[in-house]
Amino acid sequence: MASKTKPDVLIIGAGPTGLMLALELSLQNIPFRIIDCSPSRSPYSRAFAIHARSLELLSRHEGILPSLIKRGTFNLSVNLFSNKKPVFTLNLQDTPFKDTMFPGPLFVSQAITEEVMDGALAGYGNAVEWGVEALKVEQDDEGADVVLRRADGSEELGQAKYVVGCDGAHSIVRKSAGLSFEGAVYPQDFILADVQLEWEHKANLHIFIGHYGLLAALPLQNGIFRLVCSRPFETDKEMEPALDDFRAAIKQHVPGKVAISNPIWMTRFRLHHRIASNYRSGRLFLAGDAAHIHSPVGGQGMNTGIQDSVNLGWKLARVLCGKSPDSLLDSYHLERHKVGLAILHGTDRVFEMMATTNPIFLFLRNWLVPWVVPFIMGDAGRRASRMRFVSQLGVRYRNSPVVGNSGSWNGKLRGGNRAADGKLVGSGGETTLIGLLKGPGYHLLLFSGVEDATVSLQVLCEAEKTLIESRHGVTVHKILTAKEKSGEGLVDAVGRLHDWYGFEGPGFVLVRPDGYIGSIGYLKDQDSPVPLA
């Protein structure tokens, strides 16, 4: 059995989760292999929503965001119907957040997302190895051995210091690690189709609920819609769906005339809600669907996997480069498992209500929805709160052992919060704070303070010498409220970023490589270097 050169990391699974980890390791210049048992990419759409936080993180890699935006769309609304009557319309751009440049999700086929990410990976000089299946994974104190089989039947021994399972619900990495996958299967059976639709409801996402169950319709491209509907219990669950099944569901749920034709893809599926007992077992890690699966409510699955990989990628890099102890990798589970649980529980409640087949619950749902949904979503504050959860902008790691705050700090944002975005003006023109947070290392933001509490650029330069022992691996940005004659620094013209972070006086923010706050506080409180994880 042949053995290849031992990389630092072996990524098993090349969907968006595996690709994002490959991009992060490429950015950090860490040697890796990424393999997938499929012979090639799937042409089917599958996941289709990229939320604001994922867009921010994808923007750190050259060329991804412009390509996705060019081929996707932002301007969608969600229209909810109950028993063929309109209940509520939610404009996804109508809940703008002050701290991001992305007011709503980008809708684009997963096939396109993967194609664009593949292109970015090629830009780093790396690529997926297709048709390579992991059969067995064993680890010891030095690394892991993986038995790999290629499409021609030949086998090789793959070796790596760490192995990351991005290999979905049936993960060989999770099984090899002996980690449980706690949860259950939803009782409902579902069918899906990408088809041509001719109807009065054009470029919006539509959700129809009624006495017969649930039907959702999402516009893809060129008049093609994704249809997902619950299947009657009396239907043979082993029978593949036919176009007539979708015609019957449309007749039961959708008002007006609808013509359906030209199916591109049809399938049946069951949904699970499960989460791994731990995202780490020694030198083995789980990310994406290998770690957590849940209902498709809110389009959280792909986004959560992408963000798992960003969290894990920089930590693996720091440990592999000898900059941090191995214990840093324990924070991956501590930070991301809580996120997985919150999303699983949040989507579970909504899905059970929307897709219930219990006759009593059906009656109550259909009676209550026309009253409750407009009440909840009609209020701007409540709507923004729920959209912040869906957008994943609200994800934070405040209780993590690798974040902190200065002694007297009690501002709006704290260690573990996402670094809020906002516009800045520099010598090169207008930019954004998130736009600055690129590259493999940390970023130190030095805020001058506002009005009478403002300090000069010179004071910030002196503070920089105290706050970091070396600029190696740390990029420094000085954020002022007034333009300096020298043209140095970045100007927060109306003080919006100062306000958002909670700085009246001068302060600092150390931003981790994944865009979350590692440490924050007032300059007056910090008389020693801020610790890097």
Side-chain angles (χ1 to χ4, degrees):
M1 185 183 295
S3 178
K4 282 197 168 186
T5 303
K6 184 176 181 178
D8 284 345
V9 181
L10 173 63
I11 305 169
I12 301 177
T17 299
L19 280 174
M20 194 68 196
L21 182 57
L23 288 167
E24 292 296 308
L25 295 177
S26 297
L27 181 67
Q28 299 281 352
N29 202 29
I30 299 296
F32 68 91
R33 288 179 71 184
I34 177 170
I35 64 170
D36 197 288
C37 62
S38 300
S40 62
R41 284 266 172 237
S42 168
Y44 301 124
S45 53
R46 293 159 293 148
F48 46 76
I50 308 178
H51 289 296
R53 184 54 180 153
S54 296
L55 291 169
E56 290 180 343
L57 294 169
L58 286 165
S59 72
R60 297 158 62 252
H61 299 280
E62 200 67 35
I64 289 182
L65 222 53
S67 297
L68 289 175
I69 291 173
K70 183 178 180 181
R71 300 172 70 178
T73 181
F74 280 109
N75 58 339
L76 282 182
S77 295
V78 179
N79 297 328
L80 176 64
F81 288 72
S82 179
N83 290 325
K84 296 190 176 183
K85 296 179 181 178
V87 170
F88 190 80
T89 296
L90 172 64
N91 186 337
L92 296 176
Q93 312 304 305
D94 191 32
T95 51
F97 304 116
K98 296 178 181 179
D99 63 335
T100 183
M101 298 298 110
F102 303 104
L106 176 69
F107 287 87
V108 61
S109 162
Q110 182 177 327
I112 293 174
T113 299
E114 291 173 343
E115 178 188 330
V116 170
M117 294 176 78
D118 275 334
L121 188 60
Y124 285 113
N126 295 311
V128 176
E129 297 178 46
W130 293 104
V132 182
E133 181 182 6
L135 301 177
K136 185 179 181 182
V137 183
E138 293 182 336
Q139 62 170 322
D140 56 30
D141 292 340
E142 301 299 320
D145 293 338
V146 186
V147 177
L148 303 175
R149 181 171 61 198
R150 296 187 173 275
D152 61 7
S154 62
E155 292 187 0
E156 70 169 270
L157 181 64
Q159 297 179 307
K161 295 176 183 176
Y162 296 99
V163 175
V164 184
C166 306
D167 48 344
H170 303 290
S171 171
I172 185 64
V173 178
R174 189 185 64 246
K175 293 174 182 176
S176 298
L179 297 171
S180 63
F181 205 31
E182 298 151 7
V185 61
Y186 289 106
Q188 301 91 338
D189 197 43
F190 290 87
I191 54 175
L192 175 153
D194 290 349
V195 295
Q196 195 90 30
L197 279 189
E198 292 182 18
W199 62 343
E200 61 181 277
H201 310 288
K202 299 297 181 183
N204 290 318
L205 168 61
H206 292 78
I207 299 173
F208 303 89
I209 59 175
H211 300 303
Y212 301 96
L214 168 73
L215 169 68
L218 175 92
L220 298 177
Q221 289 179 316
N222 305 319
I224 301 297
F225 279 74
R226 158 76 55 81
L227 298 181
V228 179
C229 58
S230 50
R231 210 173 192 181
F233 273 116
E234 60 271 16
T235 305
D236 181 358
K237 290 180 171 54
E238 300 305 316
M239 184 181 297
E240 291 300 322
L243 205 55
D244 282 344
D245 295 322
F246 295 95
R247 289 194 175 104
I250 287 172
K251 183 177 180 181
Q252 291 166 346
H253 291 93
V254 183
K257 294 183 178 180
V258 182
I260 177 174
S261 60
N262 301 326
I264 298 172
W265 179 36
M266 291 192 295
T267 188
R268 58 185 172 84
F269 61 95
R270 299 290 299 276
L271 292 169
H272 294 245
H273 48 112
R274 300 182 185 277
I275 191 164
S277 54
N278 203 307
Y279 287 11
R280 181 188 188 186
S281 173
R283 293 182 173 271
L284 310 183
F285 295 85
L286 305 176
D289 287 355
H292 46 77
I293 52 175
H294 37 76
S295 85
V297 169
Q300 302 293 289
M302 180 178 72
N303 290 272
T304 308
I306 285 172
Q307 292 171 49
D308 288 342
S309 291
V310 176
N311 186 289
L312 179 59
W314 72 273
K315 294 174 180 177
L316 280 170
R318 285 193 67 83
V319 172
L320 286 163
C321 291
K323 296 177 181 177
S324 297
D326 181 82
S327 58
L328 174 62
L329 296 174
D330 290 333
S331 70
Y332 169 62
H333 169 78
L334 292 173
E335 292 181 350
R336 293 304 298 173
H337 189 261
K338 290 180 180 178
V339 174
L341 276 175
I343 291 173
L344 188 146
H345 292 154
T347 59
D348 191 42
R349 288 192 295 268
V350 176
F351 184 76
E352 287 284 18
M353 184 271 291
M354 295 294 289
T356 182
T357 55
N358 183 296
I360 297 175
F361 290 161
L362 268 173
F363 172 79
L364 291 172
R365 182 199 68 183
N366 295 338
W367 182 76
L368 288 172
V369 160
W371 299 91
V372 173
V373 172
F375 171 76
I376 294 175
M377 301 304 290
D379 178 83
R382 288 192 291 264
R383 185 166 67 247
S385 175
R386 281 154 180 79
M387 289 304 295
R388 198 163 188 85
F389 172 82
V390 171
S391 69
Q392 300 199 6
L393 293 171
V395 168
R396 62 190 191 186
Y397 312 127
R398 282 192 177 183
N399 296 320
S400 170
V402 295
V403 303
N405 314 284
S406 70
S408 66
W409 179 250
N410 195 30
K412 296 180 181 179
L413 298 182
R414 303 181 68 78
N417 275 98
R418 161 187 160 272
D421 199 10
K423 292 182 179 180
L424 295 165
V425 179
S427 58
E430 189 175 274
T431 185
T432 65
L433 190 144
I434 292 292
L436 302 174
L437 304 181
K438 295 187 177 181
Y442 282 81
H443 293 261
L444 179 65
L445 313 176
L446 298 175
F447 287 79
S448 68
V450 298
E451 299 178 349
D452 293 342
T454 303
V455 298
S456 67
L457 181 64
Q458 182 60 37
V459 172
L460 296 184
C461 290
E462 291 299 319
E464 176 188 335
K465 297 174 184 177
T466 302
L467 288 166
I468 54 174
E469 294 178 316
S470 168
R471 286 198 62 157
H472 180 68
V474 181
T475 304
V476 181
H477 310 279
K478 301 174 181 71
I479 300 175
L480 317 169
T481 49
K483 188 176 181 180
E484 290 273 333
K485 290 182 180 179
S486 65
E488 293 183 60
L490 298 153
V491 179
D492 177 21
V494 295
R496 180 169 290 174
L497 274 170
H498 278 74
D499 178 64
W500 192 258
Y501 279 84
F503 289 121
E504 295 180 0
F508 72 92
V509 183
L510 182 69
V511 183
R512 306 186 328 185
D514 61 351
Y516 286 85
I517 297 171
S519 185
I520 186 171
Y522 296 115
L523 290 185
K524 63 182 177 64
D525 292 338
Q526 199 72 24
D527 55 7
S528 61
V530 290
L532 307 185

